[in-house]
Every structure is written in C-alpha cells, then in structure tokens.
Amino acid sequence: MSTQTSDSNKRIVQNTVFLYMRMLLLLTISLFTSRVVFRELGASDFGLYNVVAGFVMMLTFLNGAMSNATQRFLSFELVKKDAIALRDVFCQIQILHAGIAIIVLILGETIGLWFVNNVLNIGEDRLFAANIVYQCSLLSTVLSIISVPYNSVIIAHENMKLFAQIGLLEGCLKLAICFFLFISSFDKLIIYGISLAIISIIIQLLYFKVCRKYEETFFYFSINKKKLKEIGLFALWSLCGSISTLANMQGINILIN
C-alpha cells in the first residue's frame, strides 16, 4: 500500500470518528436541552416557537439545494488544484447565496410577516412575543444562508475536526440557554428566541474567521455567468428533495396550528 493511500485511509478514519463524536454528543445535548426548554417554556410557548421558527425555515427551501451544489463545485475545483478557478467558484457561490439571503429577507418581512400575524393561530397576548421570535428566527436564517459557502469550504477541505469542534461549541451554548431560561424571570419565549439568534451570530462569525486561512475565501466581486448557470442548474436537481423535506417537516406543524 502506497504512502498516499495510507494517508488517505487515515484521514477517512479520523474524519469518520470526528463526525460520529459530533453526532453523538450533539444528540445527547439535544435530548437534554429539548426536555429543559419544553419544561421552561411550557407546551403552548414551545409549540408556538416551533410553528413560527418552522415557518421561517420554509423560506429556505433553496438553501438546501444550494448547499449540495456548493460542496460539489468546491470539491471539484480542489481536486483540479487550480487556485484561481477555485476562488472564482467561491465568489460565484457567495453571490448566489447573498441573492438568496436577500430574497428570503424580503419574503420574510412581507409575506411571512403577514402570514404570522394574520393566518397563524396566535393569541393576542402572545402576538408580541411571536413577532420577536419571528424576527430572531429570520435573522438566524439569513445568517445561515450567507455562511453556507464557508461551511462548505471546511467540508470540502475535509477539516472535520474543526467542523466537529464548532458544532460542539454550538451545543454547549445551547446548554447555556437552558441555564438562562431556568434563572430568568422575563418572558422566556422572548429570551429563548433572542438567545438562539445570538448563538447563530457567534457561530457564523466563527465560521467566517476560521475560513480566512483558506485563500479562496477572500471575496472579490466578479460575475461569471457561465459558472453561475452551471451551479444554478445543478442545484435544481436537489430542489425537489429540499421542498419535499421542508413541506413534510414544517408543513405539518403549520397545519396542526
């Protein structure tokens, strides 16, 4: 077995271990935090948060398709080892995601806001809290869309250790939210929504900072229509699956509401 093959196998094993550790620890944290959050918010506010935040998530159906396309094109250029082409692809991907984020923001502040206030079954006494949660969820969603290219860079470079570390940090911060909910005397639904938005900001800034070590992440504005078309057409193949998944997961919550 050649040295190159041996190193490749070693990396695969290491990345697999990191991903499984991340998954198991996050699952454990999620099981604990879900119970605490449900107890502190109560059944009504917990359901209200899920339906409001879930509706915002439905606005990101393009994001799932673009994430697959992003990882595919970045990985392809990395294999070719063409630094200029890799940087150009990353810039086109950033432009696409910025466009998606702007569209989601516009839809969220118009149709989405109207839907939350006029269609969803929300009591008058919780409408203010629901709007705070909605705006926090929309902010988190926009940030997550913008950060997709940076997340994809880490995955394309197979730096699963860093990916796992950031994921675990996010899990630990959510544990901290449980503590704040426990000691807080303020409206806990509002506290929960704002806290999750703050965590989202911290994580996205962290992704942005750690990815600066990769040369391709230094953005310059240049529109390559051919490459934009290629990425967009590839993303369309994943679009149907993304829409179906979101409709299944979030549509049920809205119907129940």
Side-chain angles (χ1 to χ4, degrees):
M1 182 180 295
S2 65
T3 303
Q4 184 176 0
T5 303
S6 178
D7 291 340
S8 178
N9 291 339
K10 183 178 179 180
R11 171 174 286 190
I12 291 173
V13 172
Q14 288 178 340
N15 288 338
T16 302
V17 170
F18 286 132
L19 289 177
Y20 270 109
M21 287 177 61
R22 177 183 184 273
M23 180 185 68
L24 291 173
L25 290 174
L26 287 181
L27 179 60
T28 303
I29 292 173
S30 178
L31 289 172
F32 174 77
T33 56
S34 296
R35 179 181 178 182
V36 174
V37 170
F38 181 81
R39 184 185 65 192
E40 295 299 323
L41 293 184
S44 179
D45 279 356
F46 185 78
L48 178 59
Y49 176 83
N50 283 330
V51 73
V52 172
F55 176 73
V56 177
M57 289 299 298
M58 290 186 69
L59 299 175
T60 64
F61 63 92
L62 280 173
N63 200 35
M66 286 304 304
S67 180
N68 294 331
T70 298
Q71 293 179 24
R72 184 265 181 191
F73 279 88
L74 287 175
S75 298
F76 181 76
E77 296 299 336
L78 274 172
V79 172
K80 290 170 60 178
K81 297 183 179 180
D82 186 339
I84 297 177
L86 178 60
R87 189 174 181 183
D88 181 61
V89 166
F90 184 82
C91 289
Q92 306 313 309
I93 289 171
Q94 276 190 308
I95 291 172
L96 278 173
H97 279 84
I100 294 173
I102 292 172
I103 292 172
V104 168
L105 183 61
I106 293 173
L107 290 175
E109 294 293 0
T110 53
I111 298 174
L113 198 58
W114 171 83
F115 189 88
V116 169
N117 286 280
N118 296 278
V119 178
L120 292 182
N121 182 23
I122 302 173
E124 289 291 333
D125 59 325
R126 303 307 291 152
L127 195 57
F128 175 74
N131 276 275
I132 296 294
V133 168
Y134 178 78
Q135 294 297 333
C136 290
S137 299
L138 186 60
L139 173 62
S140 299
T141 299
V142 169
L143 289 175
S144 69
I145 292 172
I146 296 174
S147 70
V148 165
Y150 297 96
N151 300 3
S152 299
V153 165
I154 293 176
I155 294 174
H157 281 276
E158 299 182 4
N159 193 347
M160 298 308 174
K161 180 179 180 180
L162 179 59
F163 183 69
Q165 289 173 337
I166 295 176
L168 291 176
L169 173 62
E170 184 177 3
C172 292
L173 290 175
K174 288 182 178 179
L175 279 175
I177 290 180
C178 294
F179 174 74
F180 286 125
L181 287 177
F182 181 74
I183 65 174
S184 175
S185 58
F186 191 63
D187 190 313
K188 295 188 178 183
L189 179 58
I190 295 178
I191 290 291
Y192 186 59
I194 293 176
S195 298
L196 287 179
I198 292 173
I199 288 177
S200 180
I201 293 172
I202 293 173
I203 295 300
Q204 307 319 325
L205 288 176
L206 185 58
Y207 271 120
F208 177 78
K209 181 178 180 180
V210 299
C211 284
R212 303 307 287 174
K213 66 180 181 179
Y214 299 117
E215 294 182 1
E216 65 268 21
T217 59
F218 288 86
F219 178 75
Y220 67 94
F221 187 80
S222 175
I223 296 179
N224 186 330
K225 293 182 179 180
K226 181 180 178 182
K227 187 61 67 175
L228 283 173
K229 183 179 179 181
E230 287 181 13
I231 298 172
L233 288 175
F234 183 88
L236 286 176
W237 291 103
S238 301
L239 185 59
C240 291
S242 298
I243 294 175
S244 300
T245 301
L246 281 173
N248 179 51
M249 295 175 62
Q250 308 301 340
I252 292 175
N253 288 334
I254 292 176
L255 290 175
I256 291 175
N257 175 265

